[in-house]
Amino acid sequence: DDHILLFINDRPEELYCYVIHVGRRWEGLLDTQENVYRISEEIYAMVAGHTHDTQPLRPGDLADDYHDFDAARECSGHKVYAVSYTPSTEQDAMKYLILASLLAFAYGQISGDWRQILAGLRDRVDEGNSKNDDVIDTYHNWRVEEHTTDTDHMLLFINDLPDSRYCYVVKVGRSWEHLLTDQNNVYRITEEIYAIITDPNHRERELRPEDLAYDYSDFDAARECRGHDTYSIRYTPDWE
């Protein structure tokens, strides 16, 4: 099954239909309207600025190749192109903001009060880098982090949505930790853990975030899970 976005212009002099394949790694972003707005703006900037690679299509290709007859009908009578697109990260956006601010500062456009703002922005980027260094996968609004201490190896399955702030802790056994060196295995493990936590009958043990510091000596994990309902679940790949 395919998941696509259509970016359609119906103006008589600009009858265009751009087809964007939604990757499995970022389709969860479409669950929130704020992300949809941002994605729309990025795609518009790309197609309007002609900074994209396109592949010509026929409207019939949407029916033949994608089995999407509704999309074929919507794009009928338009020039149709497939466009490659992946959303930018908030971290990159923050870096660009800091770069622009620093350039303005260099040319004397920023007053003294902005020095503190720039320092705060740098701290946020540093914090984001530290946070994202542990991320090994994202899936349906969840991020998967790998944490290793001298005594423990664990995965954190974290959801930061306001109404779904959960943190699931999965201890990585020595018998299967080698699987995490292959990204395809990581994808498979992510999907299997997701299936477990979305099963209403799954077993879990409630934790306090500080337990991750006391019991696992992982202060980074304790910080990541702070403010989340935190649980430990058992998982072992059956294909290790």
Side-chain angles (χ1 to χ4, degrees):
D1 294 337
D2 288 290
H3 189 178
I4 59 176
L5 298 177
L6 299 182
F7 219 74
I8 302 173
N9 193 330
D10 288 321
R11 294 176 61 183
E13 69 275 21
E14 295 180 353
L15 289 170
Y16 291 99
C17 180
Y18 292 96
V19 182
I20 296 95
H21 180 76
V22 178
R24 186 175 66 86
R25 315 319 307 172
W26 60 272
E27 64 181 352
L29 294 176
L30 298 174
D31 292 340
T32 60
Q33 193 61 45
E34 182 178 354
N35 289 333
V36 171
Y37 292 150
R38 180 176 177 181
I39 288 169
S40 296
E41 291 171 354
E42 289 182 352
I43 295 175
Y44 174 78
M46 188 172 62
V47 299
H50 303 288
T51 59
H52 56 286
D53 295 324
T54 60
Q55 176 188 350
L57 298 174
R58 298 171 305 141
D61 293 336
L62 296 172
D64 296 336
D65 298 338
Y66 293 88
H67 307 291
D68 193 332
F69 297 94
D70 288 337
R73 185 182 67 251
E74 293 292 337
C75 291
S76 178
H78 296 65
K79 295 180 180 179
V80 185
Y81 300 93
V83 180
S84 178
Y85 165 77
T86 300
S88 64
T89 63
E90 290 185 4
Q91 181 177 337
D92 288 338
M94 184 62 69
K95 287 181 178 178
Y96 294 142
L97 175 59
I98 288 179
L99 178 60
S101 299
L102 288 174
L103 289 173
F105 180 79
Y107 285 96
Q109 300 299 315
I110 298 179
S111 64
D113 291 340
W114 278 87
R115 296 174 188 268
Q116 294 181 349
I117 295 176
L118 289 176
L121 289 173
R122 293 191 196 98
D123 289 342
R124 287 185 63 184
V125 169
D126 290 340
E127 180 183 350
N129 287 339
S130 174
K131 181 177 180 179
N132 289 331
D133 282 345
D134 298 321
V135 176
I136 59 173
D137 198 9
T138 56
Y139 192 62
H140 292 307
N141 290 318
W142 294 81
R143 72 176 186 274
V144 184
E145 297 189 4
E146 182 179 15
H147 287 251
T148 305
T149 67
D150 292 338
T151 57
D152 288 290
H153 188 181
M154 70 184 76
L155 299 178
L156 301 183
F157 223 78
I158 302 173
N159 193 325
D160 290 320
L161 290 177
D163 55 345
S164 303
R165 294 178 65 83
Y166 292 101
C167 180
Y168 287 96
V169 181
V170 179
K171 190 164 184 176
V172 178
R174 290 185 178 180
S175 63
W176 59 274
E177 62 183 354
H178 66 280
L179 296 176
L180 297 173
T181 60
D182 185 318
Q183 191 62 39
N184 287 325
N185 290 336
V186 171
Y187 294 154
R188 184 173 177 181
I189 289 169
T190 294
E191 292 170 357
E192 291 183 351
I193 295 175
Y194 178 80
I196 292 173
I197 64 177
T198 54
D199 179 354
N201 298 316
H202 76 270
R203 294 184 177 182
E204 60 189 21
R205 180 171 66 90
E206 188 171 4
L207 298 173
R208 299 172 304 162
E210 52 265 34
D211 291 337
L212 297 172
Y214 297 144
D215 298 340
Y216 296 91
S217 301
D218 193 331
F219 296 94
D220 286 338
R223 186 186 68 247
E224 295 292 347
C225 292
R226 185 184 304 140
H228 297 66
D229 293 335
T230 305
Y231 303 93
S232 172
I233 60 172
R234 291 182 177 272
Y235 165 78
T236 300
D238 57 11
W239 40 275
E240 59 178 302

